[in-house]
Amino acid sequence: MSKTELIGRMAEAAGISREQAKLAFESVTDQIGQRLKDGKDVRIVGFGSFFVSERAAGKARNPRTGEEIERSASRTARFRAGEGLKSLLNG
């Protein structure tokens, strides 16, 4: 499902305009992103948790050439499904 499709479904389900749904969606994603940028977790009970994972600098290999390269340290967002989402998927 694309962002546009999701916004359309949100608008229909909530009985609001697509523009209002778009603003709500962008607000949620902006807030999650800002919280993660600040190094804090976001927990949505029944859905899941977003958290930041740190990756240390190290060595990696270019899969095409086999050449060893240096990989810099980085941060990335991770998601862990909550029990409600797991039950929905497996129930």
Side-chain angles (χ1 to χ4, degrees), residues 15-86:
I16 58 177
S17 72
R18 290 180 69 86
E19 188 59 34
Q20 289 171 316
K22 181 180 178 187
L23 288 172
F25 177 80
E26 289 175 350
S27 176
V28 168
T29 57
D30 289 347
Q31 292 303 311
I32 291 171
Q34 187 59 50
R35 185 86 173 168
L36 293 173
K37 180 181 175 189
D38 295 341
K40 299 183 178 165
D41 296 349
V42 176
R43 292 181 186 89
I44 303 171
V45 176
F47 184 72
S49 300
F50 296 90
F51 58 96
V52 175
S53 178
E54 306 276 342
R55 187 170 77 174
K59 298 192 182 294
R61 290 208 179 272
N62 180 330
R64 196 173 272 176
T65 65
E67 175 187 2
E68 191 172 88
I69 56 174
E70 292 293 321
R71 183 187 70 221
S72 59
S74 64
R75 297 170 44 181
T76 189
R78 302 274 190 202
F79 176 76
R80 183 176 301 122
E83 288 303 316
L85 182 56
K86 288 179 186 178

